[in-house]
Amino acid sequence: MRTKEEESVGMVSKIGFVFSMLLTSVFLIASLALILFWVLMYGGGFGWDDIMRHPKLNQFPVKFNFHPTLMIGGFIFFSGFSMLFYRLMTCCRKLIVKLLHTIFHSLAIACIAIGFLTIWESHDLAFPKIPHFYSLHSWLGLATMGLFAIQFVVGFFSFLILLCCEGGTAACRAALIPTHSTFGIITFVMACITAIIGLTETAFFSLKEAEPNSKYRLEVTEAVIINTLGVVLIASMILMIWVLRTNPIKRGSAILSERL
């Protein structure tokens, strides 16, 4: 029998957990909203025209704007909500939750693939041409994409394909859960760090060209937006780690035995 004090503590823990989930969702939505606002207000919007140049990064075509938008949309927004849904929906059937988890990750992969294609073409179409994979941002981005792809393949085959023989593969899938969840968090953290480095790199180039005397000072409105987006990404990263590693919500007698 649980005492009233234990029940009170448990209720406070659950309320805090739900509040953290809601706050994380707000930050994930804010990250996508801020990058869209930045691109539309200061980056010239979107376009697939190879001739039309970026208004501030003149060496790039305007299609460059797809890269930061789709990378944050894929790695942060879709991937983040995929993990949150999988973590929160403890009352639904496991197969439904796993299918939803896979769908969101598939949307993330589509965004990441197009985002990678646009930056590759933007480098090739830049004047003068810019080499590929020369910066820390590109190195970390390549490593994050590789880890994300491995995670998706392992998750797809172990948690969906192997459900065809659920009884015989239960032990194997259970053994993979800790590794899959840990590397999922690592991938999200790497994505946030890579995005922040990329935003800073882009900001220094764009603000330097647009405002030669500003040198990225905070009085520049665009710099405030970029800094706010960076803070939102850091907050999302911290909250995501806490939410995925905290477990106050039980499902029946088991504590989310097959959930992140």
Side-chain angles (χ1 to χ4, degrees):
M1 292 289 292
R2 298 181 63 186
T3 65
K4 291 184 178 181
E5 183 177 354
E6 289 174 336
E7 291 179 353
S8 177
V9 172
M11 182 58 66
V12 171
S13 179
K14 290 179 181 180
I15 292 173
F17 176 78
V18 173
F19 176 77
S20 299
M21 293 280 287
L22 293 175
L23 191 59
T24 305
S25 300
V26 170
F27 279 122
L28 292 177
I29 295 172
S31 66
L32 185 60
L34 283 170
I35 190 63
L36 285 171
F37 180 79
W38 180 35
V39 167
L40 293 173
M41 290 297 295
Y42 299 97
F46 300 99
W48 206 257
D49 190 352
D50 294 342
I51 300 176
M52 185 177 179
R53 312 309 289 181
H54 193 284
K56 294 186 176 181
L57 298 171
N58 295 322
Q59 72 271 34
F60 283 122
V62 75
K63 70 166 57 176
F64 168 84
N65 289 331
F66 282 108
H67 175 70
T69 305
L70 291 175
M71 287 303 188
I72 287 181
F75 275 122
I76 309 301
F77 183 80
F78 283 120
S79 178
F81 272 112
S82 175
M83 291 188 287
L84 281 184
F85 288 153
Y86 197 75
R87 181 67 179 84
L88 180 64
M89 298 173 66
T90 59
C91 58
C92 302
R93 292 182 59 187
K94 290 184 294 183
L95 181 58
I96 294 176
V97 178
K98 288 175 181 177
L99 285 173
L100 185 63
H101 184 68
T102 304
I103 290 171
F104 268 78
H105 267 81
S106 299
L107 292 172
I109 287 177
C111 289
I112 294 166
I114 299 174
F116 177 75
L117 176 63
T118 55
I119 193 60
W120 184 277
E121 291 187 351
S122 295
H123 277 222
D124 286 339
L125 295 171
F127 184 79
K129 186 176 179 179
I130 299 175
H132 300 289
F133 307 118
Y134 72 93
S135 65
L136 176 62
H137 169 70
S138 59
W139 286 21
L140 288 176
L142 191 62
T144 306
M145 287 190 294
L147 188 57
F148 188 90
I150 293 172
Q151 275 284 100
F152 182 82
V153 171
V154 172
F156 182 81
F157 280 99
S158 62
F159 297 109
L160 285 179
I161 300 299
L162 293 181
L163 283 179
C164 297
C165 46
E166 185 172 3
T169 61
C172 177
R173 287 183 287 111
L176 284 172
I177 290 173
T179 302
H180 184 67
S181 61
T182 299
F183 276 95
I185 295 174
I186 291 173
T187 303
F188 187 83
V189 170
M190 288 180 62
C192 290
I193 294 173
T194 304
I196 292 170
I197 295 174
L199 287 172
T200 305
E201 181 182 296
T202 303
F204 275 115
F205 281 113
S206 64
L207 294 180
K208 182 179 179 181
E209 291 190 10
E211 304 284 346
N213 297 321
S214 69
K215 295 182 180 180
Y216 194 30
R217 293 174 184 169
L218 286 178
E219 62 263 30
V220 180
T221 306
E222 186 178 356
V224 175
I225 295 172
I226 296 170
N227 292 348
T228 303
L229 177 55
V231 172
V232 166
L233 290 173
I234 292 174
S236 300
M237 178 180 66
I238 295 172
L239 284 169
M240 186 67 73
I241 294 172
W242 191 86
V243 165
L244 295 179
R245 286 305 185 188
T246 302
N247 194 21
I249 299 180
K250 297 183 179 180
R251 182 183 183 182
S253 59
I255 306 177
L256 302 175
S257 59
E258 271 196 41
R259 295 294 170 84
L260 292 178

mmCIF file of all heavy atoms in Angstrom, residues 191-227:
data_model
loop_
_atom_site.group_PDB
_atom_site.id
_atom_site.type_symbol
_atom_site.label_atom_id
_atom_site.label_comp_id
_atom_site.label_asym_id
_atom_site.label_seq_id
_atom_site.Cartn_x
_atom_site.Cartn_y
_atom_site.Cartn_z
ATOM 1 N N ALA A 191 22.324 16.751 -33.513
ATOM 2 C CA ALA A 191 21.593 17.575 -34.479
ATOM 3 C C ALA A 191 21.445 19.003 -33.969
ATOM 4 O O ALA A 191 21.627 19.966 -34.727
ATOM 5 C CB ALA A 191 20.222 16.962 -34.755
ATOM 6 N N CYS A 192 21.121 19.160 -32.686
ATOM 7 C CA CYS A 192 20.979 20.501 -32.101
ATOM 8 C C CYS A 192 22.307 21.250 -32.132
ATOM 9 O O CYS A 192 22.363 22.434 -32.499
ATOM 10 C CB CYS A 192 20.465 20.397 -30.670
ATOM 11 S SG CYS A 192 18.746 19.860 -30.517
ATOM 12 N N ILE A 193 23.384 20.579 -31.743
ATOM 13 C CA ILE A 193 24.707 21.216 -31.741
ATOM 14 C C ILE A 193 25.125 21.604 -33.160
ATOM 15 O O ILE A 193 25.622 22.718 -33.400
ATOM 16 C CB ILE A 193 25.751 20.272 -31.111
ATOM 17 C CG1 ILE A 193 25.437 20.056 -29.638
ATOM 18 C CG2 ILE A 193 27.164 20.829 -31.289
ATOM 19 C CD1 ILE A 193 26.304 19.011 -28.968
ATOM 20 N N THR A 194 24.908 20.706 -34.108
ATOM 21 C CA THR A 194 25.262 20.984 -35.499
ATOM 22 C C THR A 194 24.458 22.158 -36.043
ATOM 23 O O THR A 194 24.988 23.013 -36.764
ATOM 24 C CB THR A 194 25.014 19.741 -36.370
ATOM 25 O OG1 THR A 194 25.742 18.632 -35.830
ATOM 26 C CG2 THR A 194 25.442 19.979 -37.800
ATOM 27 N N ALA A 195 23.176 22.210 -35.704
ATOM 28 C CA ALA A 195 22.325 23.311 -36.164
ATOM 29 C C ALA A 195 22.802 24.644 -35.595
ATOM 30 O O ALA A 195 22.839 25.655 -36.309
ATOM 31 C CB ALA A 195 20.876 23.050 -35.759
ATOM 32 N N ILE A 196 23.173 24.661 -34.323
ATOM 33 C CA ILE A 196 23.645 25.906 -33.707
ATOM 34 C C ILE A 196 24.937 26.386 -34.357
ATOM 35 O O ILE A 196 25.107 27.580 -34.636
ATOM 36 C CB ILE A 196 23.838 25.702 -32.188
ATOM 37 C CG1 ILE A 196 22.472 25.487 -31.514
ATOM 38 C CG2 ILE A 196 24.554 26.897 -31.563
ATOM 39 C CD1 ILE A 196 22.569 25.044 -30.076
ATOM 40 N N ILE A 197 25.857 25.460 -34.622
ATOM 41 C CA ILE A 197 27.102 25.828 -35.299
ATOM 42 C C ILE A 197 26.807 26.363 -36.701
ATOM 43 O O ILE A 197 27.377 27.380 -37.133
ATOM 44 C CB ILE A 197 28.055 24.618 -35.379
ATOM 45 C CG1 ILE A 197 28.497 24.198 -33.981
ATOM 46 C CG2 ILE A 197 29.272 24.947 -36.245
ATOM 47 C CD1 ILE A 197 29.330 22.926 -33.958
ATOM 48 N N GLY A 198 25.892 25.710 -37.410
ATOM 49 C CA GLY A 198 25.531 26.162 -38.752
ATOM 50 C C GLY A 198 24.868 27.525 -38.749
ATOM 51 O O GLY A 198 25.140 28.371 -39.617
ATOM 52 N N LEU A 199 23.989 27.766 -37.771
ATOM 53 C CA LEU A 199 23.333 29.069 -37.668
ATOM 54 C C LEU A 199 24.352 30.175 -37.406
ATOM 55 O O LEU A 199 24.288 31.255 -38.009
ATOM 56 C CB LEU A 199 22.299 29.034 -36.535
ATOM 57 C CG LEU A 199 21.012 28.246 -36.793
ATOM 58 C CD1 LEU A 199 20.200 28.149 -35.515
ATOM 59 C CD2 LEU A 199 20.195 28.912 -37.895
ATOM 60 N N THR A 200 25.286 29.906 -36.507
ATOM 61 C CA THR A 200 26.308 30.904 -36.188
ATOM 62 C C THR A 200 27.186 31.188 -37.400
ATOM 63 O O THR A 200 27.496 32.353 -37.711
ATOM 64 C CB THR A 200 27.186 30.411 -35.023
ATOM 65 O OG1 THR A 200 26.345 30.093 -33.905
ATOM 66 C CG2 THR A 200 28.185 31.476 -34.612
ATOM 67 N N GLU A 201 27.559 30.135 -38.096
ATOM 68 C CA GLU A 201 28.388 30.274 -39.297
ATOM 69 C C GLU A 201 27.672 31.105 -40.350
ATOM 70 O O GLU A 201 28.250 32.035 -40.935
ATOM 71 C CB GLU A 201 28.710 28.879 -39.826
ATOM 72 C CG GLU A 201 29.583 28.843 -41.051
ATOM 73 C CD GLU A 201 29.807 27.415 -41.519
ATOM 74 O OE1 GLU A 201 30.428 26.624 -40.778
ATOM 75 O OE2 GLU A 201 29.352 27.071 -42.632
ATOM 76 N N THR A 202 26.396 30.798 -40.579
ATOM 77 C CA THR A 202 25.613 31.535 -41.569
ATOM 78 C C THR A 202 25.400 32.984 -41.145
ATOM 79 O O THR A 202 25.471 33.905 -41.968
ATOM 80 C CB THR A 202 24.248 30.854 -41.776
ATOM 81 O OG1 THR A 202 24.444 29.496 -42.167
ATOM 82 C CG2 THR A 202 23.438 31.571 -42.847
ATOM 83 N N ALA A 203 25.161 33.183 -39.848
ATOM 84 C CA ALA A 203 24.912 34.537 -39.346
ATOM 85 C C ALA A 203 26.121 35.441 -39.537
ATOM 86 O O ALA A 203 25.991 36.596 -39.969
ATOM 87 C CB ALA A 203 24.535 34.476 -37.872
ATOM 88 N N PHE A 204 27.294 34.952 -39.235
ATOM 89 C CA PHE A 204 28.496 35.763 -39.386
ATOM 90 C C PHE A 204 28.709 36.169 -40.845
ATOM 91 O O PHE A 204 29.074 37.307 -41.138
ATOM 92 C CB PHE A 204 29.720 35.014 -38.866
ATOM 93 C CG PHE A 204 29.926 35.164 -37.392
ATOM 94 C CD1 PHE A 204 29.830 34.066 -36.542
ATOM 95 C CD2 PHE A 204 30.204 36.402 -36.836
ATOM 96 C CE1 PHE A 204 30.014 34.211 -35.180
ATOM 97 C CE2 PHE A 204 30.391 36.554 -35.471
ATOM 98 C CZ PHE A 204 30.300 35.452 -34.639
ATOM 99 N N PHE A 205 28.461 35.234 -41.768
ATOM 100 C CA PHE A 205 28.643 35.548 -43.181
ATOM 101 C C PHE A 205 27.566 36.511 -43.677
ATOM 102 O O PHE A 205 27.866 37.496 -44.344
ATOM 103 C CB PHE A 205 28.628 34.267 -44.019
ATOM 104 C CG PHE A 205 29.917 33.512 -43.988
ATOM 105 C CD1 PHE A 205 30.007 32.271 -43.381
ATOM 106 C CD2 PHE A 205 31.061 34.040 -44.568
ATOM 107 C CE1 PHE A 205 31.202 31.569 -43.348
ATOM 108 C CE2 PHE A 205 32.265 33.351 -44.536
ATOM 109 C CZ PHE A 205 32.334 32.109 -43.919
ATOM 110 N N SER A 206 26.292 36.227 -43.344
ATOM 111 C CA SER A 206 25.194 37.035 -43.867
ATOM 112 C C SER A 206 25.184 38.428 -43.267
ATOM 113 O O SER A 206 25.000 39.425 -43.975
ATOM 114 C CB SER A 206 23.852 36.343 -43.612
ATOM 115 O OG SER A 206 23.591 36.232 -42.231
ATOM 116 N N LEU A 207 25.382 38.548 -41.952
ATOM 117 C CA LEU A 207 25.363 39.858 -41.314
ATOM 118 C C LEU A 207 26.597 40.673 -41.666
ATOM 119 O O LEU A 207 26.549 41.900 -41.735
ATOM 120 C CB LEU A 207 25.242 39.704 -39.795
ATOM 121 C CG LEU A 207 23.922 39.115 -39.301
ATOM 122 C CD1 LEU A 207 23.919 38.999 -37.788
ATOM 123 C CD2 LEU A 207 22.753 39.960 -39.760
ATOM 124 N N LYS A 208 27.705 40.016 -41.880
ATOM 125 C CA LYS A 208 28.921 40.723 -42.268
ATOM 126 C C LYS A 208 28.762 41.356 -43.640
ATOM 127 O O LYS A 208 29.193 42.490 -43.885
ATOM 128 C CB LYS A 208 30.112 39.762 -42.275
ATOM 129 C CG LYS A 208 31.435 40.428 -42.619
ATOM 130 C CD LYS A 208 32.563 39.416 -42.581
ATOM 131 C CE LYS A 208 33.895 40.080 -42.955
ATOM 132 N NZ LYS A 208 35.009 39.091 -42.945
ATOM 133 N N GLU A 209 28.110 40.621 -44.555
ATOM 134 C CA GLU A 209 27.922 41.150 -45.899
ATOM 135 C C GLU A 209 26.835 42.213 -45.934
ATOM 136 O O GLU A 209 26.948 43.195 -46.642
ATOM 137 C CB GLU A 209 27.566 40.012 -46.857
ATOM 138 C CG GLU A 209 28.724 39.044 -47.115
ATOM 139 C CD GLU A 209 28.422 38.076 -48.233
ATOM 140 O OE1 GLU A 209 27.399 38.280 -48.917
ATOM 141 O OE2 GLU A 209 29.198 37.140 -48.441
ATOM 142 N N ALA A 210 25.774 41.994 -45.142
ATOM 143 C CA ALA A 210 24.658 42.941 -45.175
ATOM 144 C C ALA A 210 24.954 44.188 -44.348
ATOM 145 O O ALA A 210 24.592 45.303 -44.716
ATOM 146 C CB ALA A 210 23.384 42.266 -44.661
ATOM 147 N N GLU A 211 25.588 44.022 -43.203
ATOM 148 C CA GLU A 211 25.901 45.126 -42.298
ATOM 149 C C GLU A 211 27.383 45.090 -41.964
ATOM 150 O O GLU A 211 27.778 44.550 -40.926
ATOM 151 C CB GLU A 211 25.058 44.998 -41.014
ATOM 152 C CG GLU A 211 23.558 44.943 -41.241
ATOM 153 C CD GLU A 211 22.984 46.300 -41.579
ATOM 154 O OE1 GLU A 211 23.693 47.294 -41.364
ATOM 155 O OE2 GLU A 211 21.842 46.365 -42.047
ATOM 156 N N PRO A 212 28.251 45.657 -42.803
ATOM 157 C CA PRO A 212 29.696 45.535 -42.599
ATOM 158 C C PRO A 212 30.172 46.066 -41.256
ATOM 159 O O PRO A 212 31.161 45.587 -40.715
ATOM 160 C CB PRO A 212 30.271 46.361 -43.758
ATOM 161 C CG PRO A 212 29.187 46.400 -44.783
ATOM 162 C CD PRO A 212 27.904 46.384 -44.022
ATOM 163 N N ASN A 213 29.490 47.058 -40.710
ATOM 164 C CA ASN A 213 29.936 47.658 -39.456
ATOM 165 C C ASN A 213 29.273 47.060 -38.218
ATOM 166 O O ASN A 213 29.577 47.447 -37.094
ATOM 167 C CB ASN A 213 29.664 49.169 -39.480
ATOM 168 C CG ASN A 213 30.443 49.868 -40.582
ATOM 169 O OD1 ASN A 213 31.590 49.531 -40.831
ATOM 170 N ND2 ASN A 213 29.799 50.826 -41.246
ATOM 171 N N SER A 214 28.332 46.150 -38.432
ATOM 172 C CA SER A 214 27.592 45.622 -37.281
ATOM 173 C C SER A 214 28.362 44.536 -36.551
ATOM 174 O O SER A 214 28.308 44.437 -35.336
ATOM 175 C CB SER A 214 26.244 45.059 -37.741
ATOM 176 O OG SER A 214 26.445 43.898 -38.512
ATOM 177 N N LYS A 215 29.066 43.683 -37.318
ATOM 178 C CA LYS A 215 29.835 42.590 -36.739
ATOM 179 C C LYS A 215 28.996 41.741 -35.784
ATOM 180 O O LYS A 215 29.431 41.363 -34.700
ATOM 181 C CB LYS A 215 31.080 43.122 -36.041
ATOM 182 C CG LYS A 215 32.068 43.780 -37.001
ATOM 183 C CD LYS A 215 33.315 44.254 -36.279
ATOM 184 C CE LYS A 215 34.276 44.914 -37.259
ATOM 185 N NZ LYS A 215 35.500 45.386 -36.587
ATOM 186 N N TYR A 216 27.769 41.466 -36.203
ATOM 187 C CA TYR A 216 26.901 40.536 -35.466
ATOM 188 C C TYR A 216 26.568 41.049 -34.066
ATOM 189 O O TYR A 216 26.464 40.296 -33.118
ATOM 190 C CB TYR A 216 27.579 39.165 -35.412
ATOM 191 C CG TYR A 216 26.667 38.023 -34.988
ATOM 192 C CD1 TYR A 216 25.317 38.037 -35.255
ATOM 193 C CD2 TYR A 216 27.193 36.928 -34.317
ATOM 194 C CE1 TYR A 216 24.512 36.991 -34.876
ATOM 195 C CE2 TYR A 216 26.386 35.868 -33.930
ATOM 196 C CZ TYR A 216 25.054 35.910 -34.216
ATOM 197 O OH TYR A 216 24.252 34.863 -33.832
ATOM 198 N N ARG A 217 26.415 42.335 -33.924
ATOM 199 C CA ARG A 217 26.033 42.877 -32.620
ATOM 200 C C ARG A 217 24.560 42.614 -32.353
ATOM 201 O O ARG A 217 23.745 42.512 -33.267
ATOM 202 C CB ARG A 217 26.312 44.378 -32.577
ATOM 203 C CG ARG A 217 27.807 44.714 -32.634
ATOM 204 C CD ARG A 217 28.019 46.199 -32.742
ATOM 205 N NE ARG A 217 29.432 46.507 -32.891
ATOM 206 C CZ ARG A 217 29.901 47.707 -33.210
ATOM 207 N NH1 ARG A 217 29.064 48.697 -33.439
ATOM 208 N NH2 ARG A 217 31.193 47.898 -33.314
ATOM 209 N N LEU A 218 24.204 42.582 -31.082
ATOM 210 C CA LEU A 218 22.841 42.216 -30.703
ATOM 211 C C LEU A 218 21.814 43.273 -31.073
ATOM 212 O O LEU A 218 20.618 42.997 -31.068
ATOM 213 C CB LEU A 218 22.781 41.931 -29.195
ATOM 214 C CG LEU A 218 23.413 40.613 -28.752
ATOM 215 C CD1 LEU A 218 23.330 40.490 -27.234
ATOM 216 C CD2 LEU A 218 22.737 39.435 -29.398
ATOM 217 N N GLU A 219 22.256 44.522 -31.372
ATOM 218 C CA GLU A 219 21.264 45.520 -31.756
ATOM 219 C C GLU A 219 20.680 45.232 -33.144
ATOM 220 O O GLU A 219 19.679 45.806 -33.527
ATOM 221 C CB GLU A 219 21.840 46.936 -31.714
ATOM 222 C CG GLU A 219 22.987 47.176 -32.672
ATOM 223 C CD GLU A 219 24.328 47.030 -31.994
ATOM 224 O OE1 GLU A 219 24.408 46.244 -31.031
ATOM 225 O OE2 GLU A 219 25.290 47.694 -32.416
ATOM 226 N N VAL A 220 21.321 44.344 -33.898
ATOM 227 C CA VAL A 220 20.774 43.952 -35.191
ATOM 228 C C VAL A 220 19.625 42.982 -34.940
ATOM 229 O O VAL A 220 19.802 41.945 -34.298
ATOM 230 C CB VAL A 220 21.859 43.292 -36.061
ATOM 231 C CG1 VAL A 220 21.284 42.887 -37.404
ATOM 232 C CG2 VAL A 220 23.032 44.254 -36.250
ATOM 233 N N THR A 221 18.447 43.306 -35.448
ATOM 234 C CA THR A 221 17.255 42.489 -35.190
ATOM 235 C C THR A 221 17.450 41.054 -35.659
ATOM 236 O O THR A 221 17.037 40.105 -34.983
ATOM 237 C CB THR A 221 16.039 43.113 -35.890
ATOM 238 O OG1 THR A 221 15.897 44.468 -35.497
ATOM 239 C CG2 THR A 221 14.772 42.341 -35.547
ATOM 240 N N GLU A 222 18.063 40.882 -36.804
ATOM 241 C CA GLU A 222 18.276 39.541 -37.329
ATOM 242 C C GLU A 222 19.142 38.710 -36.398
ATOM 243 O O GLU A 222 18.917 37.506 -36.220
ATOM 244 C CB GLU A 222 18.925 39.617 -38.708
ATOM 245 C CG GLU A 222 19.064 38.272 -39.398
ATOM 246 C CD GLU A 222 19.662 38.380 -40.777
ATOM 247 O OE1 GLU A 222 19.901 39.514 -41.236
ATOM 248 O OE2 GLU A 222 19.881 37.332 -41.406
ATOM 249 N N ALA A 223 20.147 39.339 -35.790
ATOM 250 C CA ALA A 223 21.015 38.621 -34.860
ATOM 251 C C ALA A 223 20.240 38.157 -33.638
ATOM 252 O O ALA A 223 20.479 37.065 -33.107
ATOM 253 C CB ALA A 223 22.187 39.504 -34.434
ATOM 254 N N VAL A 224 19.303 38.968 -33.173
ATOM 255 C CA VAL A 224 18.473 38.589 -32.022
ATOM 256 C C VAL A 224 17.629 37.364 -32.359
ATOM 257 O O VAL A 224 17.477 36.452 -31.537
ATOM 258 C CB VAL A 224 17.566 39.764 -31.601
ATOM 259 C CG1 VAL A 224 16.619 39.336 -30.488
ATOM 260 C CG2 VAL A 224 18.406 40.950 -31.144
ATOM 261 N N ILE A 225 17.087 37.325 -33.565
ATOM 262 C CA ILE A 225 16.285 36.171 -33.991
ATOM 263 C C ILE A 225 17.144 34.912 -34.041
ATOM 264 O O ILE A 225 16.746 33.842 -33.570
ATOM 265 C CB ILE A 225 15.642 36.447 -35.365
ATOM 266 C CG1 ILE A 225 14.653 37.603 -35.250
ATOM 267 C CG2 ILE A 225 14.942 35.194 -35.895
ATOM 268 C CD1 ILE A 225 14.111 38.080 -36.576
ATOM 269 N N ILE A 226 18.350 35.040 -34.594
ATOM 270 C CA ILE A 226 19.246 33.888 -34.686
ATOM 271 C C ILE A 226 19.638 33.402 -33.298
ATOM 272 O O ILE A 226 19.643 32.194 -33.013
ATOM 273 C CB ILE A 226 20.501 34.254 -35.504
ATOM 274 C CG1 ILE A 226 20.115 34.586 -36.940
ATOM 275 C CG2 ILE A 226 21.508 33.106 -35.485
ATOM 276 C CD1 ILE A 226 21.231 35.195 -37.748
ATOM 277 N N ASN A 227 19.972 34.341 -32.408
ATOM 278 C CA ASN A 227 20.344 33.965 -31.043
ATOM 279 C C ASN A 227 19.183 33.298 -30.310
ATOM 280 O O ASN A 227 19.372 32.330 -29.570
ATOM 281 C CB ASN A 227 20.807 35.189 -30.264
ATOM 282 C CG ASN A 227 22.121 35.739 -30.767
ATOM 283 O OD1 ASN A 227 22.812 35.092 -31.544
ATOM 284 N ND2 ASN A 227 22.469 36.935 -30.345
#
